[in-house]
Amino acid sequence: MAERRTLAAYLNRIPAPLLVFLGGGLGAFCRIHTPGGVLVANLIGSFTLGLLTALWASRARMHGEDAVRPFRFLFGAGMMGGYTTYSSIAAVTAQAVFIHYTVHGWYVLLSLAVLFIGGLAAAASGLFMGGKIAARWEARHASAREDSSCSH
């Protein structure tokens, strides 16, 4: 009987830099279509990366690191790296510091506080929700293993 190959097995054959490149392009494309600009993209990206991190950790515990490695490159470093846009934050901050008349300093400080504190809160929320989902996955996986071992 032919061996069933998973998507991860196929993606593991693609070099990591290419996965990051492809994911980055997809993330940048998604960012330009996100209403609300830099702030919204970074908060959504922080939450999503927190959620994915928890889910990937669970999947790696159940199926091994090879089951998640390509997804971490493609969607973590690549897509979420392209979607979130900390280079824009750096550019706006530098603009406020060096070209004073373009952006008011208080606006930059408030924006940075919202981005960093909001980003941490969004990532923590994603990790929390991902942990809850992962716990259900792992319980279901353990239950399925027990059922299959009892039937033999």
Side-chain angles (χ1 to χ4, degrees), residues 6-9 12 56 59-60 62-71:
T6 64
L7 178 59
N12 269 320
W56 289 330
R59 184 132 176 103
M62 291 187 298
H63 302 288
E65 183 62 31
D66 283 346
V68 296
R69 183 178 296 117
F71 299 104

Side-chain angles (χ1 to χ4, degrees), residues 17-34:
L18 182 58
L19 289 172
V20 173
F21 172 76
L22 294 171
L26 181 61
F29 176 79
C30 291
R31 181 183 68 232
I32 63 171
H33 294 290
T34 300

Side-chain angles (χ1 to χ4, degrees), residues 69-90:
R69 183 178 296 117
F71 299 104
R72 286 181 175 161
F73 288 129
L74 183 63
F75 296 110
M79 186 173 180
M80 289 299 102
Y83 184 68
T84 58
T85 175
Y86 287 99
S87 59
S88 294
I89 296 168

Side-chain angles (χ1 to χ4, degrees), residues 21-117:
F21 172 76
L22 294 171
L26 181 61
F29 176 79
C30 291
R31 181 183 68 232
I32 63 171
H33 294 290
T34 300
V38 173
L39 175 64
V40 172
N42 282 327
L43 294 177
I44 290 171
S46 295
F47 173 83
T48 303
L49 193 54
L51 179 78
L52 290 173
T53 298
L55 297 177
W56 289 330
S58 172
R59 184 132 176 103
R61 282 191 299 274
M62 291 187 298
H63 302 288
E65 183 62 31
D66 283 346
V68 296
R69 183 178 296 117
F71 299 104
R72 286 181 175 161
F73 288 129
L74 183 63
F75 296 110
M79 186 173 180
M80 289 299 102
Y83 184 68
T84 58
T85 175
Y86 287 99
S87 59
S88 294
I89 296 168
V92 169
T93 303
Q95 184 179 12
V97 170
F98 297 112
I99 308 172
H100 301 289
Y101 60 86
T102 58
V103 180
H104 192 275
W106 287 109
Y107 170 78
V108 171
L109 290 176
L110 178 62
S111 295
L112 290 174
V114 168
L115 283 166
F116 292 120
I117 294 168

